[in-house]
Amino acid sequence: MSGDLERVSYWELRGFLNVTLGVHMDTILFQERKFDLMNLKYNYAAIDLEEGLQFRPQFDKRGGLLPVAVQEIDTGQLLMLASINEEALQKTIQTRLATFWSTSRNQLWTKGETSGDALRVDNILIDCDQDALVYQVTLLGNGVCHTFNQHGKHRKACFYREMNLAKNNIQFIKGMR
């Protein structure tokens, strides 16, 4: 189906709705007797964003920054949460090294440049609205956190504590002190 919403033909739209949604255009147009072209264009754009195969991160929606969760690909462990802008995403894609936007320093930051604990990006997941990502990574060092464990090494993950809901406090995750 054409990406240009102004030039979508009836037959393209009919085929798209039928194949993608299992909805027959004739049912929409004639049985319900209502057809709002502007609403249809908006719905098509939303469907295309959510179901289409074009990578269109929605940076404008969130002020130029998107959240990215970083997950170890081999274990599924959540390692950290960071922000990216368009430049950081492009550098990540080009180098396959996780690059972020540092909100505290207002600059690009490639993980491991100073610590040596880089992250190789093996896969990128994008959510339904294309406004949040997950970098699935392989650690190329000891860990990602700027804090240190009881042995004086950088922690593997920034998520090393958990909420004890019964006591309403936090505690170290077993093995992550």
Side-chain angles (χ1 to χ4, degrees):
M1 193 167 159
S2 170
D4 184 354
L5 296 178
E6 296 298 323
R7 297 187 312 191
V8 173
S9 75
Y10 168 83
W11 295 107
E12 286 179 305
L13 185 58
R14 180 180 180 166
F16 175 78
L17 290 172
N18 190 22
V19 170
T20 306
L21 303 176
V23 173
H24 293 282
M25 183 94 170
D26 296 337
T27 303
I28 294 171
L29 293 177
F30 302 113
Q31 289 182 2
E32 296 183 14
R33 299 188 192 280
K34 57 184 174 180
F35 183 64
D36 179 353
L37 187 57
M38 292 305 291
N39 191 36
L40 187 58
K41 285 182 185 179
Y42 171 77
N43 286 337
Y44 168 68
I47 290 169
D48 187 48
L49 181 68
E50 295 169 359
E51 302 295 332
L53 298 178
Q54 288 187 348
F55 185 55
R56 295 191 321 242
Q58 302 296 297
F59 287 102
D60 291 340
K61 185 177 174 182
R62 295 185 178 258
L65 297 177
L66 295 182
V68 58
V70 179
Q71 176 187 44
E72 187 176 27
I73 197 160
D74 290 338
T75 66
Q77 183 179 8
L78 182 60
L79 300 175
M80 61 182 281
L81 184 65
S83 297
I84 57 168
N85 62 8
E86 289 184 66
E87 186 180 3
L89 177 59
Q90 288 308 314
K91 188 172 180 185
T92 297
I93 291 169
Q94 290 168 357
T95 65
R96 294 205 43 201
L97 295 175
T99 300
F100 308 102
W101 178 256
S102 171
T103 55
S104 60
R105 295 177 298 207
N106 279 336
Q107 65 184 38
L108 284 184
W109 158 56
T110 299
K111 181 71 182 120
E113 280 180 331
T114 56
S115 68
D117 294 326
L119 299 170
R120 184 185 72 224
V121 177
D122 300 311
N123 194 28
I124 298 176
L125 305 177
I126 190 155
D127 80 332
C128 57
D129 297 323
Q130 296 202 37
D131 64 355
L133 292 95
V134 176
Y135 286 175
Q136 294 180 315
V137 304
T138 298
L139 290 164
L140 301 178
N142 294 316
V144 301
C145 192
H146 70 281
T147 65
F148 298 93
N149 65 19
Q150 61 191 0
H151 305 292
K153 295 187 178 191
H154 286 278
R155 286 190 169 95
K156 178 181 177 183
C158 295
F159 294 93
Y160 53 90
R161 295 173 291 179
E162 63 188 353
M163 184 76 179
N164 182 326
L165 296 173
K167 295 181 180 179
N168 198 27
N169 65 7
I170 60 175
Q171 61 195 25
F172 284 96
I173 296 171
K174 186 176 180 177
M176 297 191 69
R177 190 175 188 95

